[in-house]
Amino acid sequence: MNQYRQGTLCVHAGYRPENGQPRSVPIIQTTTYRYDSSEQMGRLFDLEESGYFYTRLQNPTNDYIAARITALEGGVAGMLTSSGQAANFFAILNLCGSGDHIVASTAIYGGTFNLFSVSMKKLGIDFTFVDPDADEETLSAAFRDNTKALFGETIANPSCAVLDIEKFARVAHAHGVPLIVDNTFATPVNCRPFEWGADIVTHSTTKYLEGHASTVGGALIDSGNFDWLAHADKFPGLTTPDESYHGKNYAKDFGKAAYITKATAQLMRDYGSIPAPMNAFLLGLGIETLELRMQRHCENAQKVAEYLAGHPKVAWISYCGLPNDKYHALAEKYLPNGSCGVLSFGPVGGREAATKLMDSLKLANVVTHVADAQTCVLHPASTTHRQLSEEPELIASGVAPDLLRLSVGIEDVRDIIEDLEQALAQI
Ligand SMILES: *Cc1c(COP(=O)(O)O)cnc(C)c1O
């Protein structure tokens, strides 16, 4: 399957029916699985055999779709989670515990910033946030002996900053830790972070992957490239026996599948953020059209960005597809086929004009969501990033008080632009 190109993988990867089997991905709506003997079940519990025993750990429908995303990313193993938040939580918790430290980009989703700086901090995991545009020396200075990973977003939500993935990978690897990249906005159709040195990829599948605003979900994918045993002292959870699994050693016993096996066997078992099989089915259906939709999102967003860039009532705009954008060169390198449909801009008149403009839109939905088929708009400073103080957190995470996040959908772009035109006329 992996010899096929992205558009084909979107449709076929992860589930190929055999003779007489259903064409559609089956929804295996069950909590549990029957076995002939307790001995056989015992082997499953000991991870001696692979097989399903309880949907909190694994379910076939979920696994078909995890395999589809894994193929698209070019990884070796993956798992679905119930949300993008759960995916990022697991991505980090799978590597560290109380007393450890993580370095993360400041240009990340507000929910992730809260997860790291508030909730995970309470668990005793410390975070240092770094400007992703800083040079390697400055980034390196944030690392400590107990640092266990570096984290960034391919295209930041909502600032639209593009990550220099190779630079981040070099810095992470120089410190003997993996690079985790949240690839939600670019999707594997427009960027495959593993090809640039990232070790682990996360997704909020809630966005473009599912694509229709119907299903919250997440994914965690491993490249299989990070050598845990070469840094055994840093990652005892992967390289020493797991007493809760009769002494299994993930790195030694599962090789390239170590990271995902541990996330399944420990984190899903104990924290249980599994998606419903029905949600996995809907996600799989969405992914079938991912390549087509991304092409249209990017085409439409480019036209909208050019329109806004030339409008006298637009004070600034950030879209890496524009030639004079700060991130244009990085986008040309990492996102040659297009970035995504999300752009941010600020109208003349600041915060007040931004909310007035937003309230005047008729076609675009005002929602706490981005990256689905319908055009939508949000003012992060009064919603998703509301918990952040204006200075310095808001600015540090790339959210100016007048920033409007516009997620350009797949409608006829002329209707999207006409909607913006009538709204801009009212400010
Ligand atoms: C939305 C989002 C998340 C959180 O995902 P949920 O599915 O809403 O839990 C994480 N990262 C990025 C980049 C996102 O856009």
Side-chain angles (χ1 to χ4, degrees):
M1 183 52 64
N2 287 340
Q3 78 274 22
Y4 292 113
R5 296 168 182 83
Q6 296 298 74
T8 307
L9 293 177
C10 283
V11 180
H12 290 283
Y15 174 73
R16 294 284 286 163
E18 303 200 345
N19 190 40
Q21 287 187 338
R23 143 71 178 85
S24 252
V25 173
I27 304 165
I28 314 284
Q29 188 69 43
T30 185
T31 57
T32 192
Y33 307 81
R34 195 195 73 82
Y35 286 94
D36 282 340
S37 70
S38 57
E39 189 199 331
Q40 202 180 352
M41 256 189 126
R43 284 200 295 274
L44 295 174
F45 270 93
D46 284 352
L47 304 179
E48 292 292 338
E49 268 177 35
S50 63
Y52 295 96
F53 53 97
Y54 191 53
T55 284
R56 168 147 49 73
L57 283 94
Q58 276 186 293
N59 171 282
T61 310
N62 297 349
D63 283 352
Y64 294 140
I65 306 309
R68 178 167 297 175
I69 303 172
T70 303
L72 282 164
E73 288 287 2
V76 297
M79 79 192 308
L80 297 187
T81 56
S82 56
S83 68
Q85 288 297 101
N88 282 328
F89 180 53
F90 280 14
I92 287 178
L93 202 61
N94 206 32
L95 296 175
C96 67
S98 178
D100 287 333
H101 174 251
I102 303 288
V103 180
S105 163
T106 47
I108 54 174
Y109 173 63
T112 311
F113 186 81
N114 279 330
L115 169 69
F116 290 175
S117 64
V118 181
S119 293
M120 291 190 83
K121 212 158 199 158
K122 280 187 202 153
L123 301 181
I125 300 164
D126 207 7
F127 286 80
T128 299
F129 294 93
V130 292
D131 177 353
D133 299 332
D135 61 29
E136 291 185 35
E137 211 176 306
T138 311
L139 294 173
S140 284
F143 284 72
R144 306 178 191 161
D145 290 343
N146 59 343
T147 303
K148 299 301 162 85
L150 176 61
F151 181 94
E153 289 179 9
T154 313
I155 305 171
N157 175 6
S159 70
C160 299
V162 178
L163 186 69
D164 188 343
I165 303 172
E166 280 190 321
K167 176 181 76 177
F168 259 49
R170 270 196 307 275
V171 173
H173 298 157
H175 291 87
V177 303
L179 170 62
I180 304 171
V181 171
D182 182 332
N183 197 33
T184 297
F185 270 20
T187 84
V189 163
N190 282 341
C191 180
R192 302 215 298 177
F194 294 155
E195 291 173 356
W196 303 101
D199 301 288
I200 290 147
V201 155
T202 62
H203 280 283
S204 164
T205 62
T206 315
K207 315 292 165 51
Y208 289 118
L209 288 184
E210 192 276 334
H212 300 81
S214 76
T215 308
V216 173
L220 182 55
I221 315 290
D222 183 15
S223 67
N225 292 336
F226 194 83
D227 188 348
W228 308 109
L229 290 168
H231 306 281
D233 52 330
K234 265 195 196 298
F235 302 104
L238 281 145
T239 60
T240 60
D242 178 359
E243 291 317 325
S244 72
Y245 271 111
H246 305 295
K248 278 267 173 273
N249 180 313
Y250 294 103
K252 286 197 179 126
D253 297 335
F254 299 100
K256 283 188 178 298
Y259 179 85
I260 295 295
T261 304
K262 177 176 180 288
T264 304
Q266 282 183 347
L267 302 185
M268 273 303 181
R269 179 195 62 186
D270 297 347
Y271 295 96
S273 306
I274 200 87
M278 181 68 195
N279 283 6
F281 170 80
L282 290 169
L283 169 59
L285 211 52
I287 295 172
E288 289 192 16
T289 57
L290 178 67
E291 192 191 46
L292 272 177
R293 287 185 288 106
M294 288 313 287
Q295 285 168 0
R296 175 78 164 226
H297 278 294
C298 293
E299 203 181 290
N300 280 0
Q302 184 69 29
K303 288 182 183 151
V304 169
E306 284 165 12
Y307 165 76
L308 289 173
H311 198 288
K313 286 189 183 170
V314 172
W316 61 269
I317 171 160
S318 173
Y319 186 65
C320 61
L322 293 174
N324 58 354
D325 189 79
K326 184 178 172 191
Y327 294 103
H328 189 65
L330 285 175
E332 289 213 303
K333 174 173 174 178
Y334 294 108
L335 305 155
N337 302 322
S339 55
C340 66
V342 181
L343 56 86
S344 55
F345 72 102
V348 172
R351 187 175 185 141
E352 214 170 291
T355 47
K356 175 133 195 261
L357 171 70
M358 188 170 89
D359 295 346
S360 306
L361 289 164
K362 292 183 175 134
L363 177 66
N365 300 313
V366 176
V367 288
T368 317
H369 195 246
V370 279
D372 72 70
Q374 303 185 2
T375 294
C376 49
V377 64
L378 183 77
H379 183 234
S382 51
T383 53
T384 48
H385 287 62
R386 204 182 175 83
Q387 285 90 348
L388 307 189
S389 62
E390 202 147 296
E391 278 283 348
E393 288 180 338
L394 208 51
I395 306 294
S397 62
V399 182
D402 65 343
L403 181 148
L404 285 175
R405 181 180 68 183
L406 183 68
S407 173
V408 180
I410 58 174
E411 301 95 338
D412 188 314
V413 73
R414 291 170 296 186
D415 292 323
I416 302 169
I417 289 175
E418 279 168 26
D419 190 30
L420 285 163
E421 189 141 274
Q422 63 81 23
L424 281 160
Q426 298 185 45
I427 63 165

